[in-house]
Amino acid sequence: LAKEQGKNNYQFFSEELHQSISRKLKLESELRKALDERQFILYYQPKININTGRIIGTEALIRWEHPELGLIPPAQFIPIAEETGLIVKIGEWVMRTACQQTKEWQEAGYKNLSVAVNISLRQFMQNNLIEMIESILSETALAPEFLELEITESMALDATYTIRMLNRLKALGISISIDDFGTGYSSLSYLSQFPIDRLKIDQSFMRNLNTSNQAIVKTIIDMAHNMNIAVIAEGVETQKHVDFLKGQMCKEVQGYFYSKPLPYIEATTLLHSRS
Ligand code: C2E
Ligand code: MG
Ligand code: MG
Ligand code: MG
């Protein structure tokens, strides 16, 4: 009987594996057309001043509006886009759209609104990243001080390259933040070598705000303050999170407690009510 079950299990898992591989292959081939067919859309999640409740900027987060499968979250296609190199073209579309739409918001009266754009490792390794950003800034007329790049600790691996690249990016006048901070494997020493403007405390710490994670969050906030780096907590979902962060003098927050990421029109409505 055990042998029978084992066999069935094997067949069950292999069927599942087969399905997930064929979904991935389907997404991969359709991802190639998605840009031309205008199937991507940016959502915006506000970053909030914890003391005033006002919106200080947004983070642009891509979604794929698939004609049959519906709205696909980035976790399901960004890794495929990275593997295939499609991320370079997609990333350029994200950058252009985020800068354009933020410029529109500024022209509608939100003069100091900034936007943060996520950059993947593959993009970061592209030598023409600088030229791409430079030309989009001039094309959209967004002032560089309103653009922030979110990179991850994984990009700190080749320190020499990273320092050179970050210094060139900073020379454009844009800001740099470290996303998902506290989850990577890199050494803290890069913080003093890299020109970083902001740390984004990973949402996993809020999700499980036990005593040791509280101590870690507190330490990150103090360290950022001591180094003159801004710090924002991600994944803020409850009043309890807010109270804890206020107690630690954290000034910026982002999370479902304030707002989920929203499409442009709905984000505009939120801006009207929260500015
Ligand atoms: P991220 O940059 O760390 O973005 C934060 C993610 O957490 C977003 O998921 C956001 O919707 C979600 N989130 C925000 N507040 C909360 C909260 O209070 N609770 C919970 N549980 N989740 C919250 P999303 O939009 O699915 O994006 C996932 C990841 O995909 C992003 O993580 C980022 O690494 C990547 N990504 C998104 N857009 C882009 C893009 O345009 N380019 C690149 N290269 N990566 C992107
Ligand atoms: Mg991010
Ligand atoms: Mg994050
Ligand atoms: Mg991330």
Side-chain angles (χ1 to χ4, degrees), residues 6-273:
K7 197 172 159 198
N8 286 339
N9 279 341
Y10 172 75
Q11 282 175 343
F12 174 72
F13 283 120
S14 86
E15 179 59 25
E16 245 187 13
L17 187 64
H18 175 77
Q19 277 181 13
S20 92
I21 289 173
S22 65
R23 179 178 161 104
K24 199 182 149 196
L25 288 174
K26 178 177 158 73
L27 291 185
E28 181 177 326
S29 78
E30 294 180 354
L31 203 51
R32 296 180 191 282
K33 306 179 292 190
L35 253 188
D36 287 338
E37 308 201 343
R38 299 167 169 272
Q39 291 170 1
F40 293 118
I41 176 172
L42 288 189
Y43 275 46
Y44 292 91
Q45 187 178 37
K47 296 182 179 183
I48 307 278
N49 176 319
I50 199 169
N51 296 312
T52 62
R54 290 195 173 182
I55 298 176
I56 49 186
T58 69
E59 175 177 3
L61 295 155
I62 195 172
R63 305 285 181 262
W64 181 6
E65 284 183 320
H66 191 283
E68 303 150 40
L69 302 172
L71 206 63
I72 306 181
Q76 285 181 33
F77 67 90
I78 291 290
I80 304 176
E82 287 219 38
E83 277 169 40
T84 54
L86 290 166
I87 191 66
V88 175
K89 278 244 147 56
I90 296 173
E92 186 176 341
W93 177 86
V94 170
M95 184 66 66
R96 178 171 299 107
T97 308
C99 291
Q100 253 163 14
Q101 296 189 320
T102 300
K103 182 68 186 179
E104 281 172 35
W105 276 326
Q106 291 187 346
E107 286 176 341
Y110 307 104
K111 289 197 180 63
N112 295 318
L113 193 72
S114 62
V115 67
V117 173
N118 292 282
I119 296 290
S120 71
L121 182 59
R122 183 95 175 226
Q123 285 176 281
F124 193 72
M125 300 310 287
Q126 289 274 313
N127 231 318
N128 61 6
L129 177 68
I130 310 281
E131 287 76 15
M132 186 268 272
I133 294 173
E134 209 171 10
S135 77
I136 288 175
L137 286 172
S138 86
E139 188 186 312
T140 59
L142 182 76
E145 63 195 282
F146 299 113
L147 176 63
E148 179 168 309
L149 297 195
E150 294 194 2
I151 65 173
T152 59
E153 287 174 75
S154 64
M155 297 174 205
L157 291 180
D158 180 353
T160 316
Y161 177 85
T162 304
I163 292 172
R164 218 187 77 227
M165 186 59 126
L166 291 181
N167 283 326
R168 291 174 67 201
L169 288 164
K170 287 293 295 173
L172 293 179
I174 68 182
S175 318
I176 308 290
S177 67
I178 305 287
D179 204 352
D180 307 339
F181 186 78
T183 58
Y185 296 97
S186 56
S187 126
L188 282 178
S189 68
Y190 73 83
L191 283 179
S192 59
Q193 301 172 54
F194 296 174
I196 289 159
D197 300 283
R198 176 177 279 101
L199 299 181
K200 301 193 72 176
I201 303 175
D202 190 69
Q203 58 187 42
S204 58
F205 296 107
M206 289 299 128
R207 199 177 307 135
N208 182 13
L209 199 53
N210 56 25
T211 320
S212 49
N213 280 344
Q214 287 184 25
I216 293 171
V217 171
K218 185 175 153 54
T219 305
I220 295 173
I221 294 169
D222 289 346
M223 178 180 69
H225 287 163
N226 290 333
M227 295 181 77
N228 240 329
I229 298 175
V231 61
I232 183 165
E234 291 190 270
V236 175
E237 291 188 356
T238 64
Q239 184 67 52
K240 197 182 133 224
H241 293 161
V242 176
D243 293 343
F244 168 73
L245 291 163
K246 274 190 179 158
Q248 304 311 317
M249 312 304 280
C250 182
K251 299 187 191 79
E252 301 176 0
V253 279
Q254 192 181 351
Y256 295 169
F257 182 75
Y258 297 94
S259 172
K260 292 195 171 188
L262 301 169
Y264 183 79
I265 304 280
E266 284 156 54
T268 306
T269 309
L270 188 74
L271 275 172
H272 285 309
S273 63

